[in-house]
Structure formats: C-alpha cells, structure tokens
Amino acid sequence: MALPALAGSGVQFRRILAHFPQELSLAFAYGSGVFRQAGATPSQSANNMLDFVFAVDDSVTWHTMNLLKNRNHYSFLKLLGPKKLTNIQNCGAGIYYNTLVQCNGRVIKYGVIDTDALIEDLLHWKSLYVAGRLQKPVKILTQNENGKLQAALVSNLKSAVTAAFLMLPESFSEEDLYMQIAGLSYSGDFRMIIGEDRSKVSNIVKPNMPHFQKLYSNILQASPQVVYKHQLGRIEIDKSPEGQFIQLMALPRTLQQRITSFVDPPGKNRDVEEILLQVAHDPDCGLVVHQGISGIVRSSSLIQSSKTILTAGVKKSVTYSMKKMYKMTKGWLRKTS
C-alpha cells in the first residue's frame, strides 16, 4: 500500500500534470511541498512551492510542444527555440528547470531531463543530481513500462545504501542510515553553505522515516552483508577490509573514478581494482568515499546553479535565491531559539 504524502495532494498533482505534454517516461513530485518536513506546520507545507521532474524520451519534441502550451514558463531563452533549449539542458546535470511558475493555483518548479540522461545518472552517478533526489522519498505521478529505467531506479537505491555503509560504523541505527543516504546529494553542494537550511537533512528524515523504510527495507533484508534488526531499528554491517572491498567494487562508476583519482598518484596508472583494495584497508576509507561524492556534487551543483540564472531569468533567480535565504535564516533561528 502506498504511503500518503500531504493530504489531498494526489488530485492536485494530476491536475497540474494535465497542463503539460503527456509524453513522459517518468514524472515525480518531491520536496517540502509533497512530504512534510520537521518544523513546518501543515498550512506552511500546503503552501510551499511544488517541485517536479519530468523525464522525456525526446527533449527537443517535448520542449517544442511545451513552448506551444506554456511559452510563458520559459525565460528569454525561449527565443532560441527547442533545439538550443535542449543543448542548454544537456549541460551539467542534464536537466532544464522552469521555476516560480503559476499553475493550477500553486507555484511550481519543474525540471525536464532526457530519459537516457536520467538512466546514466541513476546507474553511474554522473552528476548525482536527479539520482540524489530519487534516493529520498518522492511521489511518482506517472511511469511508463521502461524496464531499463526501472532497473536503474532500483540500482540507484542499492548504490545509496552501499555508499552510506562505507561511511558508517559497524553498528548504527536505521535513522543514522537514512540521514547518511539523504545527505549524499548535499555533500559538497555550496548551496548548503549559502542558501539552504543546514538542518535540511534532519528535517527531511525525521518526519518521514516510514517513507524511507518503504524505499530501503527490502534492500536491507536482501543484503548478505547486513544484520537488519527491523524491530529494534538497528543495523550491523561487515566492516572488514574484505567487506569494504566488495562494497567499493559495487559503487557507481563515476564515484569509483573519483576515488581512484584521489588515491592514485599521477603517472602510476594502477588498475581500479588494485586502488580500491588499498582504500578498503585504509582506516579513512569512509572519508575517501565522502570526498569522492563531494567532488561529483560540487561540480554538478555549481553548473546547475549557473544555468538557473539563464533558465529562470534574472528576476526569478533573485526571487528564488531570496526565498532560499529566508528558509535558511528561519531554520537557523529555530535551532538557536
């Protein structure tokens, strides 16, 4: 049985989705407008901006149709046409956002990503941008029968668990695991220093433990390296070098490449397996993994934020940034009061 998001949201999401071209391989809603976060009242959550991601098989065709239906959603870049919009979309994290859009009585933000680019990110963590959002609870609105996409969605969740294990001790709580997973896509993101509430990860996890359990409990139960004490909310994992080596070898390709570039001196050119075996024996193995993830997120978040100035336009970019700063300040005041 599906767990509820905010009350009454299902029909509203379907009405919003009806405003857009329907050629979608996947559409989901996420964020504080969908799942309640700690410190937010029901009325605040109900009025938050709604965030969506639309995966499409042909971005040029989709933007062409969307420009006909919703031309006012786009910044001045609409003058360049759908092919140029798609070229801009493909930079960085591979997603094009229209933000602060009025739709069906709500303010929304929606990102468009090519299905193949999404699968690439889910499998290999090329940018860990949309893949990172899909490691946290989301509300799936529509999904076609793309077996490759479905397998990639599951692979992304397994990779998130594996990466989190490498950064956690031998025994920890289920909440500790979900805090680590929810924080993966924020590691190295400069917006967590300027523009985001620094309690964001905790605010996401604590009120939504049942949603995280629904995502990850089957993976934990099926893992041969895990003792999952579901009733106690405790987890034990194999932290031997052999166990860590198995986990390192299972990490997404881009993260393995980041790790090897940190560890392998220039010009030595050892193979990946040899380097990861060395990392598995390193007491700072978890730190090395964290550095690798931070490197991926840092570069993709910088490029994506730079794109926002173009895709949103200067006025919307300033308004959006001010809203983020307000949320960060409110979170800081809540912690110090």
Side-chain angles (χ1 to χ4, degrees), residues 144-334:
N144 68 11
E145 296 180 3
N146 184 328
K148 196 174 174 183
L149 175 57
Q150 180 56 38
L153 288 165
V154 174
S155 176
N156 180 47
L157 297 179
K158 290 179 177 178
S159 295
V161 170
T162 301
F165 281 171
L166 286 160
M167 294 184 286
L168 285 164
E170 190 172 11
S171 177
F172 48 89
S173 71
E174 203 169 352
E175 185 178 294
D176 291 336
L177 172 64
Y178 301 143
M179 291 280 284
Q180 193 71 248
I181 288 172
L184 292 175
S185 62
Y186 298 121
S187 302
D189 189 339
F190 76 97
R191 293 171 301 175
M192 294 302 289
I193 302 170
I194 302 172
E196 288 285 7
D197 181 353
R198 292 172 202 178
S199 304
K200 189 179 182 84
V201 173
S202 176
N203 292 345
I204 291 169
V205 173
K206 288 182 183 295
N208 292 296
M209 284 290 290
H211 293 284
F212 277 93
Q213 288 170 331
K214 187 171 186 288
L215 275 178
Y216 290 105
S217 61
N218 287 343
I219 293 170
L220 294 174
Q221 288 167 353
S223 174
Q225 291 185 299
V226 176
V227 178
Y228 178 34
K229 300 175 182 178
H230 179 63
Q231 299 302 321
L232 299 174
R234 299 292 302 177
I235 298 167
E236 295 173 6
I237 57 174
D238 180 4
K239 293 297 286 186
S240 69
E242 294 77 17
Q244 292 196 140
F245 177 63
I246 291 169
Q247 291 163 1
L248 287 163
M249 289 297 292
L251 290 174
R253 182 178 64 206
T254 306
L255 179 51
Q256 288 182 340
Q257 290 168 345
R258 288 276 180 172
I259 291 169
T260 56
S261 68
F262 284 136
V263 176
D264 202 30
K268 203 163 184 185
N269 296 324
R270 294 182 295 166
D271 63 40
V272 172
E273 191 170 333
E274 182 185 350
I275 297 166
L276 294 182
L277 184 60
Q278 176 189 326
V279 175
H281 284 81
D282 191 331
D284 292 327
C285 174
L287 180 60
V288 173
V289 173
H290 182 268
Q291 288 175 325
I293 293 169
S294 295
I296 296 170
V297 173
R298 188 179 301 111
S299 58
S300 64
S301 66
L302 278 168
I303 295 170
Q304 193 61 38
S305 294
S306 301
K307 276 170 58 177
T308 299
I309 298 170
L310 296 173
T311 60
V314 175
K315 184 179 177 182
K316 282 188 177 182
S317 294
V318 171
T319 304
Y320 183 67
S321 298
M322 291 299 291
K323 285 177 181 286
K324 287 287 187 181
M325 290 295 289
Y326 173 72
K327 284 177 73 175
M328 182 185 75
T329 304
K330 197 165 70 171
W332 180 79
L333 290 173
R334 193 165 57 238

Side-chain angles (χ1 to χ4, degrees), residues 3-6 29-37 45 137-139 208 211:
L3 292 166
L6 292 177
Y30 66 96
S32 60
V34 186
F35 295 95
R36 190 163 296 132
Q37 296 188 5
S45 298
V138 302
K139 185 170 182 63
N208 292 296
H211 293 284

Side-chain angles (χ1 to χ4, degrees), residues 13 16-17 20 27-34 37 47-55 62 66 73-74 95-113 129-130 133 141 186 189 191 195-196 200 301 304-305 307-309 311-312 316-317 319-321 323-324 327:
F13 292 150
I16 289 171
L17 208 59
F20 295 94
F28 65 88
Y30 66 96
S32 60
V34 186
Q37 296 188 5
N47 291 318
N48 282 343
M49 182 166 67
L50 295 174
D51 299 301
F52 298 89
V53 168
F54 303 149
W62 197 90
N66 199 43
H73 291 184
Y74 293 81
I95 187 164
Y96 187 106
Y97 271 106
N98 285 323
T99 191
L100 297 177
V101 170
Q102 291 285 341
C103 186
N104 203 58
R106 291 294 297 270
V107 178
I108 73 167
K109 177 180 79 175
Y110 64 94
V112 183
I113 186 169
Y129 200 86
V130 181
R133 278 149 181 74
L141 306 176
Y186 298 121
D189 189 339
R191 293 171 301 175
E196 288 285 7
K200 189 179 182 84
S301 66
Q304 193 61 38
S305 294
K307 276 170 58 177
T308 299
I309 298 170
T311 60
K316 282 188 177 182
S317 294
T319 304
Y320 183 67
S321 298
K323 285 177 181 286
K324 287 287 187 181
K327 284 177 73 175

